[in-house]
């Protein structure tokens, strides 16, 4: 598998960081996939913004999958040997959490996951959130997103978050 996707085994380090250069989503055609590089060390939160269909979700899925693969001992598709710390927990909220069986709307499903994440997250966690605060009014969603980001920042965990909210973009530039 590693030879087929031109992958290498990442180094798991005691230093708190994630370094993936030329990272590729492992499930996409390796000849067509867009490469991304990720570096998190002093800045523990990465905010990804951009237009719809611009690749934000693919980027955060890539980093989440690569961390999971590496922690399972699998080689990962990166241009240079990747390096990252070990994560005790990995929390993810990507996609529509709507459930007719559990009577959850998209927003309720999203908030249920967010509540679980903010109550269980620790310094040794990785948090991956797609469109944080989505499914409600823009002002309410932005306020929820800012509260969650502040909590993640206070905990000191690594977080990769996508958002369209202008207030989140401004907050990221200031902090």
């Amino acid at each position: 598998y590693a030879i087929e996707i031109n992958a290498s085994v990442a180094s798991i380090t005691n230093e708190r960081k994630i370094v993936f250069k030329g990272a590729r989503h492992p499930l996409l055609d390796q000849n067509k996939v867009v490469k991304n590089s990720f570096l998190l060390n002093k800045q523990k939160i990465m905010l990804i913004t951009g237009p719809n269909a611009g690749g934000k979700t693919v980027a955060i899925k890539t980093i989440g999958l690569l961390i999971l693969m590496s922690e399972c001992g699998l080689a990962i598709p990166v241009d240079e040997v990747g390096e990252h710390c070990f994560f005790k927990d990995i929390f993810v909220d990507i996609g529509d959490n709507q459930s007719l069986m559990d009577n959850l709307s998209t927003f309720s499903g999203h908030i249920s996951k967010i509540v679980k994440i903010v109550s269980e997250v620790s310094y040794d966690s990785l948090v991956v959130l797609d469109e944080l605060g989505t499914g409600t009014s823009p002002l309410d969603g932005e306020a929820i997103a800012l509260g969650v980001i502040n909590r993640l920042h206070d905990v000191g965990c690594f977080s990769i978050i996508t958002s369209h909210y202008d207030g989140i973009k401004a907050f990221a530039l200031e902090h």
Side-chain angles (χ1 to χ4, degrees):
Y1 175 72
I3 292 169
E4 185 177 312
I5 65 168
N6 193 26
S8 59
V9 176
S11 297
I12 297 182
T13 178
N14 289 328
E15 247 183 283
R16 288 190 32 89
K17 63 181 173 180
I18 299 172
V19 181
F20 293 149
K21 295 180 181 172
R24 303 176 305 278
H25 192 292
L27 302 176
L28 299 177
D29 182 339
Q30 295 298 294
N31 296 315
K32 296 179 183 176
V33 68
V34 174
K35 297 177 183 182
N36 288 287
S37 294
F38 301 96
L39 171 62
L40 284 95
N41 52 18
K42 292 178 183 145
Q43 288 78 25
K44 304 280 191 274
I45 299 175
M46 177 183 286
L47 177 67
I48 302 174
T49 67
N52 288 331
K56 298 179 301 296
T57 302
V58 172
I60 65 171
K61 285 181 177 181
T62 299
I63 196 166
L65 283 169
L66 297 188
I67 293 289
L68 284 170
M69 289 172 65
S70 178
E71 288 194 2
C72 289
L74 295 170
I76 59 173
V78 291
D79 284 348
E80 297 179 20
V81 174
E83 189 176 12
H84 65 90
C85 55
F86 182 81
F87 293 100
K88 180 181 165 216
D89 300 296
I90 300 173
F91 298 99
V92 178
D93 182 29
I94 297 174
D96 186 353
N97 300 304
Q98 186 178 55
S99 171
L100 297 175
M101 300 291 279
D102 296 328
N103 197 27
L104 287 176
S105 67
T106 297
F107 179 70
S108 297
H110 178 62
I111 289 301
S112 294
K113 275 195 171 180
I114 296 300
V115 167
K116 179 176 174 49
I117 291 168
V118 298
S119 65
E120 295 181 15
V121 70
S122 72
Y123 181 77
D124 297 318
S125 298
L126 171 65
V127 179
V128 180
L129 302 172
D130 193 25
E131 296 298 338
L132 180 58
T134 194
T136 188
S137 75
L139 286 177
D140 292 342
E142 189 173 279
I144 290 167
L146 284 170
V148 170
I149 290 170
N150 275 314
R151 167 77 173 130
L152 298 174
H153 182 268
D154 289 347
V155 168
C157 64
F158 280 104
S159 305
I160 297 103
I161 302 166
T162 67
S163 178
H164 286 286
Y165 294 132
D166 290 334
I168 302 301
K169 295 174 197 177
F171 180 83
L173 286 173
E174 290 175 27
H175 296 90

